[in-house]
Amino acid sequence: MSPAPLRTLDDLGDVEGKRVFVRVDYNVPLERGEVQDDLRIRASLPTLTELLDRGAALVLASHLGRPQGEVRDDLRLAPVADRLEELLERDVAAVSDVAGEEAVAVCSHIDAGDVVLLENLRFEPGETADDPELADRLAGLADAYVNDAFGAAHRAHASVHALASRFEQRAAGRLLQREVEVLSRLLEGPDAPYVAVLGGVKVSDKLGVISGLLERCDALLVGGAMAFTFIAAGGGDVGRSLVEEDRFDDVREAQRTASARGALIQLPEDVVAAPEMSVEAPRQTVPVNAIPSGQMGLDIGPRTVEEFARTLADAKTILWNGPMGVFELEPFSSGTRGVAMAVAGANAFTVVGGGDSLLAVKRLGLEGSFDHLSTGGGASLEFLEGKVLPGIAALRKEV
Ligand code: ADP
Ligand code: MG
């Protein structure tokens, strides 16, 4: 059974003259007090401008880094407020506490069109503890609630979970709405063939998503270091490649699930191997189950790229998460590039997720070549696993 529909800004009702608490994801890289990448700030603008156009005053809140319940000057949100001010082209008042005296004083005097940014939510120990007392204090700052922080939706933290239930008027912002719509399409009746490509370092990071995908996809292509655990579990010799022996049983289980459903698990046939992870190291392309001892597989090889591309060319729905090799080093980036191009070129609904995968897409200049780039990281994976995410469940209509 599919879950109840999400409450969106279309369901929020009248916010004219009201204070709307908007949980945003401004967990951006800072260096020397400056925002290094403002993608997440820009991504919040559609929701913010829509609410401002509807006559709301905004109380914005985000976490930044991991201050673990303590005030850390290097993790204050003031630089974010500066950048937001430029992008919104209106004043943004940065408050120096989360829900303390200053926040209360400022938020009790705001009017339509005003924008306030609270201090880093994680300066309050109650945030990660889903503390009801913190939720009450935050609730006192506003009249309605919007969550647009998909990246935090899998956490039962006060600002995404306990807080939501304090408001009659509550909804998902446009960014969160889009993530849920796209990822739901992958969970509920994706157009077949549905092909998933997984890569990255560890099987153990992605076990949940592997089993979630194997219930739904027609083919699972496995690259990256993850593939070596599959190969080694099947008895292949993978030299010094990364292998998680304690995951052999899980991998075999995945293979049984796949064959019971008639889904294909496609593994690399060849790999680029080298004695160490460096650009200078001599490298060679070898069959995946005959990696010379002392060497490790650091990218999928050209034959594998061709085989993966063949499967991708027939797909109608594609999910890609995780690089095919150590793409950060040029000599081991061809596999990731090849798969990225094959996904981009397929006549399919295409979704890419994962922090490193998005970085790879950006480096390749392919950002515009997919239907959706999922910004969620852990949240995207848990969603695709079929889990109920606390921050999303709180915004469904039945709740
Ligand atoms: P994402 O963030 O997209 O979910 P992961 O964090 O799971 O991806 O994995 C990304 C990392 O995996 C990259 O830093 C890349 O260098 C590494 N990686 C991929 N293939 C290999 C390999 N064969 N050996 C070692 N590391 C690898
Ligand atoms: Mg990563």
Side-chain angles (χ1 to χ4, degrees):
M1 206 188 73
S2 58
L6 204 60
R7 300 169 187 234
T8 70
L9 294 187
D10 301 320
D11 309 300
L12 186 65
D14 184 18
V15 292
E16 173 91 53
K18 292 187 183 170
R19 300 168 302 168
V20 181
F21 186 102
V22 188
R23 175 47 160 109
V24 285
D25 180 1
Y26 290 165
N27 186 25
V28 295
L30 286 184
E31 225 168 87
R32 291 178 304 276
E34 274 199 43
V35 175
Q36 296 302 301
D37 180 356
D38 63 3
L39 183 77
R40 285 181 168 166
I41 306 176
R42 281 187 280 124
S44 73
L45 297 179
T47 294
L48 304 191
T49 50
E50 179 172 347
L51 290 167
L52 288 168
D53 289 346
R54 285 163 65 172
L58 304 182
V59 179
L60 310 180
S62 176
H63 72 283
L64 175 64
R66 296 173 181 270
Q68 298 184 308
E70 282 172 26
V71 176
R72 279 214 359 222
D73 283 332
D74 59 326
L75 292 176
R76 287 193 180 274
L77 282 171
V80 174
D82 291 343
R83 187 74 195 104
L84 179 62
E85 211 159 52
E86 292 165 14
L87 292 167
L88 265 184
E89 296 177 347
R90 61 170 86 204
D91 288 345
V92 175
V95 167
S96 65
D97 57 18
V98 178
E101 275 174 34
E102 189 182 339
V104 172
V106 171
C107 293
S108 61
H109 285 103
I110 52 177
D111 295 314
D114 288 345
V115 182
V116 175
L117 178 61
L118 302 180
E119 191 46 280
N120 189 343
L121 286 162
R122 290 195 187 161
F123 287 179
E124 287 275 354
E127 166 63 358
T128 54
D130 203 19
D131 177 20
E133 190 266 336
L134 175 61
D136 287 338
R137 282 195 283 135
L138 288 169
L141 303 176
D143 311 300
Y145 174 84
V146 168
N147 183 355
D148 215 13
F150 179 63
H154 59 314
R155 312 264 189 220
H157 289 177
S159 65
V160 297
H161 184 250
L163 183 57
S165 62
R166 292 207 168 27
F167 293 94
E168 191 70 26
Q169 253 187 307
R170 60 181 185 272
R174 295 300 180 199
L175 199 65
L176 179 57
Q177 178 188 352
R178 166 97 180 131
E179 289 278 6
V180 171
E181 281 168 1
V182 168
L183 299 180
S184 299
R185 185 166 161 186
L186 300 184
L187 279 183
E188 298 157 22
D191 288 343
Y194 174 19
V195 179
V197 191
L198 282 186
V201 193
K202 285 187 182 165
V203 170
S204 48
D205 286 346
K206 298 187 179 171
L207 273 177
V209 79
I210 290 172
S211 50
L213 288 170
L214 284 175
E215 282 170 32
R216 294 170 180 92
C217 71
D218 300 290
L220 176 66
L221 315 184
V222 184
M226 239 172 77
F228 300 115
T229 298
F230 279 80
I231 306 273
D237 191 351
V238 298
R240 280 176 49 235
S241 306
L242 289 177
V243 167
E244 292 168 274
E245 281 172 25
D246 54 338
R247 293 300 172 196
F248 283 180
D249 284 343
D250 296 302
V251 159
R252 293 187 190 116
E253 170 75 29
Q255 270 155 333
R256 277 193 296 274
T257 309
S259 51
R261 260 196 72 241
L264 172 76
I265 295 184
Q266 207 174 328
L267 298 173
E269 293 176 25
D270 60 346
V271 290
V272 180
E276 58 184 87
M277 210 184 280
S278 92
V279 277
E280 292 89 31
R283 43 184 194 277
Q284 57 186 131
T285 300
V286 295
V288 70
N289 52 8
I291 300 176
S293 63
Q295 304 218 6
M296 52 186 143
L298 295 171
D299 193 12
I300 57 173
R303 274 206 13 231
T304 303
V305 172
E306 241 173 72
E307 290 301 320
F308 282 10
R310 212 189 301 273
T311 305
L312 290 166
D314 292 331
K316 283 282 165 283
T317 306
I318 300 173
L319 168 76
W320 172 33
N321 173 287
M324 296 293 101
V326 184
F327 74 99
E328 297 93 335
L329 304 180
E330 203 280 328
F332 310 109
S333 63
S334 311
T336 301
R337 186 182 328 118
V339 164
M341 310 258 283
V343 175
N347 184 18
F349 180 66
T350 54
V351 180
V352 184
D356 293 288
S357 309
L358 293 193
L359 195 66
V361 163
K362 202 169 160 186
R363 284 195 192 175
L364 292 164
L366 289 174
E367 289 116 310
S369 308
F370 306 93
D371 290 294
H372 183 67
L373 300 178
S374 183
T375 54
S380 319
L381 293 179
E382 289 195 19
F383 196 99
L384 291 170
E385 200 175 312
K387 277 194 182 165
V388 172
L389 312 193
I392 292 172
L395 300 172
R396 294 206 183 269
K397 286 188 175 159
E398 66 201 345
V399 179

